Amino acid sequence: MSGVVEITLTLQQEPKKFIDEYLKGGGAGGRSPAYKDILFGFDDVQLDGWSASCGPADSPAKYAIAISSATFLQQYLALDRLLTATTIISASAPIDRSSQKLQFLQIVNGEFQYLFDGDPRAPSSLGLSGGEHSLMRQLMVYCPVFLFLHELCHIEDGHLAYRAEQRLARKYWQLEQVREARAKDSRAMEFLADSSAILTGASMVVSSLADKPLTEKISHLKQFGFAVGLNLLLADIADWYPSRPRTLTDPKLNDHPNAGTRLVWCQYIFSDGMFKGMWPETLQANTPAKDAKEAIKAGIDQTVRAWTKLGWKRSAADVDDPALGPYMFEISRQLESPPEFRQPENPNQPVTEVTKL
């Protein structure tokens, strides 16, 4: 296991470098310099469990985003097994492996535990060459980048500010009402952050491949979709097998939606018209919105099929969650980006490239 930990620490450097460059690029080409005031890092050296978070930071920074090292290692261990059960077309070559049921290896409280039926061994991706090695490394960039963009949305789209405003607005409410309303708001904003992270990440992928053929863009969008699906399924495992005992039993007080519901939301995130309306016009010419949307969904679907093929458990969607639907869109209309993150009317902003391997 020490070899796996060492390689994941090495692999962390690639997404860390991209994210740092993305944040330090604030102020370039009309982009707000406020991004330079956001700190990012991998933490949790004790490997306690799955987590990604954002919040205010001590001066001179203003905000901080953290992804736990356990989360990154969990992504690696899951990918190592999932890639035995699926075919993903990389820029170089297809990978097609025969599959068998494998146990899921979970990191929790500094230890490793096996879940579900199957072989506890997994083919190691260490030392791979060619298409397999490149694909694994690319997915290990896309996985943390999606989580980073999700947390960044909470900051730049005004989610943190909205929560602070609502704390004041509800100070005379009954405690139970406050807790239920706060949880419902948070669940709605999780759906919105997923949407924003997918759109932003997909735009980055396509922009970074501007001079490449459409087939290569579609291939990378599928890989990004695969990374989105994997993150949500891993969050589901963390829900089923938490690192600490749960204290809440009332689902109305959960501040995160059922991970199965988030997965379905991301699979069917927009109608064709909505996605096209939000897909940047500058990308339409070389990557039509319909192709981009279908590629992302295909990647998510592929993750689910591989997950199921290995015999791993996942939650059914809670389509009756009141944070979905009209309430979510009502919240979105009330959100305002903090002043320091608002863009000029016609920004001439270059898009930071996603690391290509």
Side-chain angles (χ1 to χ4, degrees):
M1 185 60 68
S2 61
V4 174
V5 174
E6 287 175 9
I7 196 68
T8 52
L9 289 174
T10 300
L11 288 171
Q12 277 183 8
Q13 304 310 308
E14 292 176 282
K16 177 70 164 63
K17 180 181 177 182
F18 160 72
I19 291 169
D20 284 344
E21 289 178 353
Y22 179 84
L23 293 174
K24 289 175 182 175
R31 188 163 176 254
S32 169
Y35 290 91
K36 293 180 179 179
D37 295 329
I38 301 175
L39 295 178
F40 170 78
F42 291 100
D43 65 1
D44 182 26
V45 292
Q46 302 302 317
L47 300 180
D48 286 337
W50 176 269
S51 72
S53 60
C54 66
D58 294 332
S59 181
K62 189 166 184 180
Y63 300 99
I65 296 174
I67 297 174
S68 75
S69 293
T71 295
F72 191 83
L73 181 53
Q74 189 70 80
Q75 291 166 339
Y76 178 89
L77 294 172
L79 277 172
D80 193 35
R81 289 159 170 74
L82 281 171
L83 291 183
T84 69
T86 192
T87 299
I88 304 177
I89 305 300
S90 70
S92 52
I95 294 174
D96 197 0
R97 295 169 169 170
S98 59
S99 64
Q100 64 186 83
K101 288 196 173 182
L102 300 171
Q103 287 186 297
F104 182 95
L105 183 55
Q106 185 192 25
I107 306 162
V108 59
N109 296 326
E111 298 181 351
F112 299 87
Q113 64 180 10
Y114 286 99
L115 306 174
F116 316 131
D117 295 330
D119 193 329
R121 297 169 299 175
S124 175
S125 296
L126 306 181
L128 292 179
S129 61
E132 293 188 16
H133 182 70
S134 177
L135 175 60
M136 185 72 172
R137 289 179 64 194
Q138 187 66 70
L139 289 170
M140 288 306 298
V141 171
Y142 288 152
C143 283
V145 163
F146 170 74
L147 288 182
F148 161 73
L149 292 173
H150 175 103
E151 297 302 326
L152 181 62
C153 172
H154 287 317
I155 297 171
E156 66 182 354
D157 285 0
H159 298 188
L160 299 184
Y162 179 82
R163 288 170 181 159
E165 291 168 2
Q166 292 305 307
R167 277 196 296 272
L168 291 174
R170 295 166 178 163
K171 64 181 179 180
Y172 297 116
W173 289 22
Q174 295 292 324
L175 178 59
E176 193 68 17
Q177 289 178 304
V178 171
R179 293 174 65 195
E180 186 173 332
R182 182 178 60 205
K184 188 177 176 183
D185 287 350
S186 292
R187 294 198 306 276
M189 287 186 282
E190 287 299 306
F191 292 123
L192 293 171
D194 285 338
S195 315
S196 178
I198 288 174
L199 279 164
T200 303
S203 299
M204 288 179 176
V205 169
V206 171
S207 297
S208 70
L209 298 168
D211 59 345
K212 303 296 182 182
L214 179 61
T215 53
E216 188 168 340
K217 295 186 182 79
I218 295 302
S219 172
H220 276 263
L221 285 170
K222 285 181 181 178
Q223 292 170 28
F224 181 68
F226 194 92
V228 171
L230 176 59
N231 277 302
L232 297 177
L233 287 165
L234 290 175
D236 202 26
I237 290 289
D239 285 347
W240 279 104
Y241 305 96
S243 57
R244 294 177 180 81
R246 297 201 178 280
T247 57
L248 292 175
T249 57
D250 187 345
K252 295 194 299 296
L253 301 181
N254 287 337
D255 59 5
H256 276 62
N258 171 305
T261 311
R262 290 175 65 188
L263 183 66
V264 171
W265 163 248
C266 290
Q267 284 174 296
Y268 302 97
I269 196 163
F270 301 117
S271 66
D272 287 343
M274 284 181 66
F275 190 93
K276 184 176 181 180
M278 301 181 76
W279 189 238
E281 290 185 11
T282 54
L283 302 179
Q284 283 279 10
N286 57 32
T287 312
K290 187 174 186 297
D291 292 342
K293 178 195 170 190
E294 289 177 354
I296 296 164
K297 183 179 181 300
I300 297 174
D301 290 344
Q302 213 165 28
T303 321
V304 174
R305 286 196 300 272
W307 192 275
T308 303
K309 198 171 184 179
L310 291 180
W312 295 352
K313 181 178 181 178
R314 65 186 179 93
S315 296
D318 177 14
V319 294
D320 295 324
D321 188 335
L324 266 174
Y327 188 78
M328 180 184 59
F329 292 109
E330 178 186 334
I331 290 289
S332 70
R333 287 191 292 270
Q334 296 179 50
L335 295 171
E336 287 188 1
S337 295
E340 63 268 31
F341 290 104
R342 292 174 193 165
Q343 300 289 352
E345 289 187 7
N346 294 298
N348 181 24
Q349 176 189 335
V351 179
T352 302
E353 289 194 357
V354 174
T355 306
K356 300 190 294 297
L357 304 167

